[in-house]
Amino acid sequence: MDAFTTHTGIGVPLRRSNVDTDQIIPAVYLKRVTRTGFEDGLFAAWRKDETFILNNPSYAAGSVLVAGSDFGTGSSREHAVWALMNYGFRVVLSSRFADIFRGNSGKQGLLTAQLAQDDIELIWKYLENEPGSAVTVDLVSRTVTAGDIVAPFEVDDYTRWRLLEGLDDISLTLRHEQDVTEFESRRPAYKPSTTVA
Amino acid sequence: MSGTLAEKVWDAHVVRRAEGEPDLLYIDLHLIHEVTSPQAFDGLRLAGRTVRRPDLTLATEDHNVPTTPGPITDLVSKTQVDTLRRNCEEFGVRLFPMGHAEQGIVHVVGPQRGLSQPGMTIVCGDSHTSTHGAFGALAFGIGTSEVEHVLATQTLPLKPFKTMAINVEGELQPGVTAKDITLAVIAKIGTGGGQGYVLEYRGSAIRALSMEARMTVCNMSIEAGARAGMIAPDQTTFDYLKGRENAPQGADWDEAVAAWQHLCSDDDAVFDAEVDLNATTLTPFVTWGTNPGQGLPLGESVPDPETMGDDNEKAAAQHALDYMGLTAGTPLREIRVDTVFVGSCTNGRIEDLRAAADIVKGHKVADGVRMLVVPGSARVRLQAEEEGLDKVFTAAGAEWRLAGCSMCLGMNPDQLAPGERSASTSNRNFEGRQGKGGRTHLVSPLVAAATALRGTLSSPADLVDLVDAGAFEGSK
Ligand code: SF4
């Protein structure tokens, strides 16, 4: 996965709390067999409403989602993260995230930055008054900048380190590939192989 | 240092241990099927990675396959199966496709080839991977991103688990089976009772079980919320494995058995929890609700939610009864079914089919009841046909099908219609599991067969009355 240090992109104010993963991507999209192309399923039900924020051309190319509290609740589907990232989002800002969603995000390289709800309100107002404005998210200093607003955010140290280094779970393990190879050399010869017989 | 069986297997697979990090465990066998693998392979492709150990990886087609001859007609199912074929080809993974003599439910195929062995770590993107624990392996289900991780590295970073001993002592009465043990265990500890635990089944009743019966018990550990279920290997295990194509041969065999003999919990090992069950007093068990923990002995009646302990349980039971269309106080034996399903990774093995065939032999399935018999693998099907079991079933009016998951989860055309009721030898009675609006009663193969003949939930013992009364044709 790509390393993340700082990101600047159009902010999308999503004034909704308790956005669950079924709203992020409805179950009918789960039958697919790929990892990509889920952007059309993102917020599929809401996008049918022409007043929905992503249907506004000023926000359509957004990459920083500014959401209400308790984002990502419900089923543990990893597709929710794929849909957001396939669409082009790199960061979600919220005052609270569901645990599993946050875990899945960290593994895929989507930054979930936790801000105070007051700061979320300020950023919403700013983005609504100035549609299409950019938001900068700096993972090194853990701050979000939107116009004159500069707000700190929280992300746990481990996830931050992984994002800064661009390490997904597999790359993390592969840093210890030597250990794996050594272990393999010690495996008993009687262990079965699937390719025999 | 003394330890439990699970801890011993775990410790033997630690590739790397570091303070504050999950242990990195080596995986001896990775089983794959069409539903949970596509995105894992796609992830490899996107990152330019390969499968580290194709020789420790095996794929089968099971969840989506039709059990009647002919191609897959459902488009989504076909796409998943086609994708698996392409992925296996591209990444060099061995596949047993539909029509292949070795095709079947992934948890039937591994053991029947002798691939599932004591002391191994086995994973699959399917929760019923716990089945393979019957051999004394640490076997558990994983998610799609973990499937990708194992494909790429043959390892998994894992958080520690707790251990629970399930002691089942005594001798089972005739007509009482492994399925009844497991349903009784789940009813006792609840569907969340095993959360965070690896269960180890112990005691004289477990030792007396055949390998296939042990698989039934371990299979359903997940329904108690457990990570895995295990049984220490013994002579029964070794006898089952010896000579199978993927079991060790020659000198390797001797070395393996010598090692396997040490795979048991030490006498002074401490479990985090222990549960006792008396096998002698067990009777056939059936579920009445919409989770596998909502079960009772067949001789009892549909429970009254009002008598249940806390409000949550009360509400859940009432909801279950509404969905199941049942009234409190109805004797379970009077519940009439439309469909009987014999099959699945829980009870789709040759012994299960033999047991069911033994009951229906020479009799007719009750009017208005459809009986579906679906072998767990192509090999089981062939063996059953060699023994003439298919004829027994079809002569009784049952349908004899090709191998697959079938009505266990209704991803293929074998489904219940809304409101239809089944007695099923599978493992999950969740709402809609066997088809939208379908109502499932989990039972053993013996109860399934007896139910097919009488049309209401029954045990083989109930048939004796009927035979005496001459109530159904074909009786002596
Ligand atoms: S038979 Fe049922 S439980 Fe077993 S693998 Fe198939 S769908 Fe899953």
Side-chain angles (χ1 to χ4, degrees), chain A residues 34-35 173 184 187 194 197, chain B residues 26 28 39 42 55 148-149:
Chain A
T34 56
R35 194 70 165 250
T173 295
E184 284 176 330
R187 291 180 76 233
T194 57
Chain B
Y26 198 81
D28 288 320
Q39 272 104 2
D42 210 34
D55 60 323
E148 183 181 341
H149 196 281

Side-chain angles (χ1 to χ4, degrees), chain B residues 391-412:
Chain B
K391 299 268 167 11
V392 172
F393 288 118
T394 49
E399 296 173 40
W400 177 246
R401 297 293 190 86
L402 301 177
C405 292
S406 180
M407 198 179 267
C408 176
L409 88 169
M411 260 184 108
N412 79 347

Side-chain angles (χ1 to χ4, degrees), chain B residues 1-324:
Chain B
M1 257 245 322
S2 65
T4 62
L5 169 62
E7 289 159 353
K8 288 182 184 180
V9 178
W10 178 288
D11 287 341
H13 289 83
V14 175
V15 169
R16 182 172 178 275
R17 179 169 282 172
E19 184 64 30
E21 288 180 40
D23 280 355
L24 188 65
L25 244 58
Y26 198 81
I27 303 302
D28 288 320
L29 176 63
H30 186 190
L31 300 167
I32 281 177
H33 61 84
E34 75 273 15
V35 178
T36 51
S37 66
Q39 272 104 2
F41 281 111
D42 210 34
L44 291 186
R45 209 175 283 120
L46 288 173
R49 293 178 171 131
T50 55
V51 175
R52 182 179 178 90
R53 296 294 299 264
D55 60 323
L56 304 183
T57 312
L58 182 69
T60 73
E61 296 170 2
D62 56 8
H63 282 66
N64 279 296
V65 304
T67 55
T68 45
I72 303 181
T73 48
D74 179 75
L75 263 183
V76 173
S77 300
K78 185 171 171 355
T79 308
Q80 289 188 338
V81 167
D82 287 347
T83 306
L84 180 69
R85 290 181 187 177
R86 245 184 296 116
N87 285 331
C88 286
E89 171 88 41
E90 179 181 340
F91 289 92
V93 172
R94 187 168 194 196
L95 167 71
F96 294 140
M98 277 165 58
H100 191 286
E102 289 297 300
Q103 176 268 342
I105 305 172
V106 69
H107 310 310
V108 177
V109 171
Q112 80 185 6
R113 293 183 58 82
L115 263 177
S116 312
Q117 298 171 15
M120 286 173 65
T121 46
I122 301 176
V123 297
C124 173
D126 185 280
S127 47
H128 294 94
T129 309
S130 56
T131 311
H132 310 263
F135 291 85
L138 184 60
F140 48 92
I142 56 178
T144 296
S145 57
E146 291 171 303
V147 170
E148 183 181 341
H149 196 281
V150 176
L151 286 172
T153 70
Q154 204 58 35
T155 64
L156 262 188
L158 288 168
K159 301 215 177 74
F161 56 83
K162 294 177 285 180
T163 56
M164 183 188 291
I166 309 271
N167 307 307
V168 192
E169 297 288 352
E171 203 175 320
L172 289 176
Q173 302 298 314
V176 185
T177 67
K179 185 66 163 282
D180 304 306
I181 293 181
T182 189
L183 287 174
V185 167
I186 300 165
K188 184 162 182 160
I189 69 174
T191 51
Q195 203 98 51
Y197 290 95
V198 171
L199 312 183
E200 184 184 333
Y201 301 94
R202 303 150 58 84
S204 55
I206 300 295
R207 297 260 70 90
L209 295 177
S210 70
M211 269 331 288
E212 297 198 352
R214 293 178 187 187
M215 286 187 243
T216 301
V217 172
C218 288
N219 173 279
M220 290 200 57
S221 306
I222 182 77
E223 307 310 335
R227 300 260 309 261
M230 299 178 89
I231 295 172
D234 57 12
Q235 198 56 44
T236 303
T237 321
F238 309 150
D239 291 346
Y240 177 94
L241 282 171
K242 188 154 187 159
R244 294 189 186 255
E245 49 272 78
N246 290 121
Q249 318 283 340
D252 275 350
W253 172 259
D254 299 333
E255 197 192 324
V257 172
W260 295 343
Q261 262 154 353
H262 298 289
L263 286 172
C264 59
S265 294
D266 295 315
D267 290 339
D268 55 348
V270 182
F271 291 89
D272 298 302
E274 296 218 25
V275 171
D276 296 316
L277 194 75
N278 184 345
T280 316
T281 55
L282 264 190
T283 55
F285 238 74
V286 301
T287 62
W288 50 267
T290 50
N291 74 54
Q294 291 174 321
L296 279 173
L298 178 59
E300 302 204 9
S301 300
V302 176
D304 183 355
E306 285 310 313
T307 63
M308 306 224 160
D310 63 278
D311 288 351
N312 278 339
E313 222 179 303
K314 222 176 259 183
Q318 189 54 56
H319 183 86
L321 291 192
D322 292 346
Y323 179 84
M324 293 294 289

